[in-house]
Each structure stands twice: as C-alpha cells, then as structure tokens.
Amino acid sequence: MPRYRIEFRKEGPARFISHLDLVRTLERAMRRAGLPLAFSQGFNPHPRFSLGVPLPVGVKGEKEYLDLELVAALPVDEMLKRMNVQLPQGLKVTRVWRIPDDAPALMATLEKATYRVDVSLAREITQEDLQRSIDGLLEAPEIIISRRTGGNKEKVLDIRPGIYALSGRLEDGRVRLEMCLAVGNRGAVRPEEVVQVLARFGLPVKDEQLEVTRTGLYPAEPEISYGG
C-alpha cells in the first residue's frame, strides 16, 4: 500500500489541541477529504497513520509530521488540497510526499528538535549578560534537574547530553532563544527546563512566561531526509 509523509503546521487556536484530540481531528479531516484510507485489522479498525513526537499543549509547531497509508495512490498536490479544505483554523498541511514502503516509522527515527523560545525578563540586561548565562550553561559538564513523572514521582537526571545547541539575542526587551534538544524516549529535554537552568546562571526570567515554537524535527541519521 502506498505510504506518504505529511508535513503540517499547528498554531493559533490549534496549539491548545491535545495530542489525543489532534489525532481525532486529523482522522476526521482525512475521512471528510475522501482519502482512500488503509485501516488496521480487528474489531475496532482505524486509519493507519502515525504522528511524530507529541507536541505539548500550548506549543506551536512549524514542521510537524505524520505518516499515512492509503489503499490507492493519489497525487500529492490533490491530497494537500483536500486535507486543507477540511482542517480547522490553525492546522495546515504544507507538504506531502511519497515514502518507500519499508521506510522506518517516524517515532523510531526522530531524535532531535529545534525550538524558538521567547522569554520575558524581570529586569533589563545586556547582550553580554545573556551570553554569559548561555556560556555558563554550555560549559557545564552536567546539569542536574528534578522532573515530575507519572504517578507524581520525582526523577533526578542530567539533561546536559540532550542539549545540542543554544543561542540567544535580545529583542524588544525580551530574550529570543534558539535551541536544539533531544526528543523521543532517550534523554529528551524540554525547552522550559533549559530556561530554568539559564535562570541558575543569572538570566532574570520573569515568572517563567514562555512562548515556545517547535521549528523542526530531525532524525539522528543525516542520510534520512525529511525534505521530500
């Protein structure tokens, strides 16, 4: 059966849709678009599609991905148009392309994500002040944090190995951070955790008021292309 990879944006009011509701919204849009969906077997068959790394509620996504199987091939331009007619405000398909039948599953390959994070400040700082905080974090051999997990338990872990890149600049009295972090099941790091650590290194974060956008998702192996 033909397989496709779909790139889409999640922003505006749609950024408050939970992952489970996003799955339901996409399924409804696919059905209404009349796509020849392939279905799973069993008593409760459902369309065979899978999303990449879940996006937290409130976080915008500029390049999110899903894989979809159809029972008959369709032109990618037609799929894009049909989907966008049916999607609600804030969700928009930006690209569709065919992938090999034996292409690995999305979740098995995605290991990095880039983010843009806007941070409000409690007081004015200079670019030099900001850079000192960033350098302090990047030069740390380990960064220990406490993360709340399922069952309301606390887990202590070192997130430094999962911070691949970090930079920042001042814009209109706020800090705009660009970061590349680990995602997935092994060593994932959250953008808000990086900001909390920057506060340890002197960044005067105001009440942790963050505006987070995930700007891309990437595989660990560079030979696997997500560019269509």
Side-chain angles (χ1 to χ4, degrees), residues 4-6 8 26 30 49-51 65-68 106:
Y4 297 85
R5 187 148 292 163
I6 295 176
F8 65 98
L26 290 169
M30 292 172 189
F49 74 93
S50 59
L51 287 155
Y65 298 97
L66 69 87
D67 283 356
L68 171 66
L106 272 173

Side-chain angles (χ1 to χ4, degrees), residues 33-139:
L35 302 185
L37 301 171
F39 283 82
S40 62
Q41 302 296 314
F43 292 106
N44 185 27
H46 53 82
R48 294 177 63 88
F49 74 93
S50 59
L51 287 155
V53 180
L55 195 63
V57 173
V59 175
K60 292 181 281 188
E62 293 185 345
K63 290 183 179 180
E64 301 299 303
Y65 298 97
L66 69 87
D67 283 356
L68 171 66
E69 289 186 32
L70 300 181
V71 294
L74 274 183
V76 294
D77 290 345
E78 184 177 342
M79 287 181 61
L80 185 147
K81 290 177 183 176
R82 286 197 198 180
M83 285 285 292
N84 280 336
V85 167
Q86 301 299 332
L87 287 171
Q89 183 182 2
L91 289 176
K92 182 179 181 181
V93 173
T94 51
R95 287 196 300 166
V96 180
W97 67 96
R98 187 90 177 257
I99 59 174
D101 293 346
D102 60 351
L106 272 173
M107 280 296 290
T109 60
L110 296 174
E111 294 195 6
K112 297 179 181 178
T114 51
Y115 298 89
R116 181 174 61 249
V117 184
D118 291 323
V119 183
S120 297
L121 298 173
R123 58 176 170 79
E124 289 187 10
I125 61 171
T126 66
Q127 182 65 38
E128 290 73 21
D129 295 330
L130 172 60
Q131 194 57 51
R132 273 195 293 274
S133 297
I134 292 173
D135 290 344
L137 183 153
L138 293 177
E139 291 168 4

Side-chain angles (χ1 to χ4, degrees), residues 137-199:
L137 183 153
L138 293 177
E139 291 168 4
E142 63 177 16
I143 297 173
I144 305 300
I145 68 158
S146 177
R147 179 184 296 169
R148 196 170 295 279
T149 62
N152 208 26
K153 296 180 179 178
E154 294 263 341
K155 182 179 180 181
V156 176
L157 66 163
D158 177 15
I159 63 171
R160 181 64 187 87
I163 302 174
Y164 302 122
L166 176 64
S167 63
R169 63 183 183 274
L170 294 174
E171 284 191 5
D172 300 325
R174 305 175 75 191
V175 168
R176 170 157 287 188
L177 299 168
E178 305 282 350
M179 54 184 79
C180 180
L181 308 176
V183 295
N185 297 324
R186 291 175 293 180
V189 179
R190 301 166 182 168
E192 60 270 27
E193 292 171 339
V194 175
V195 175
Q196 290 166 4
V197 174
L198 282 171

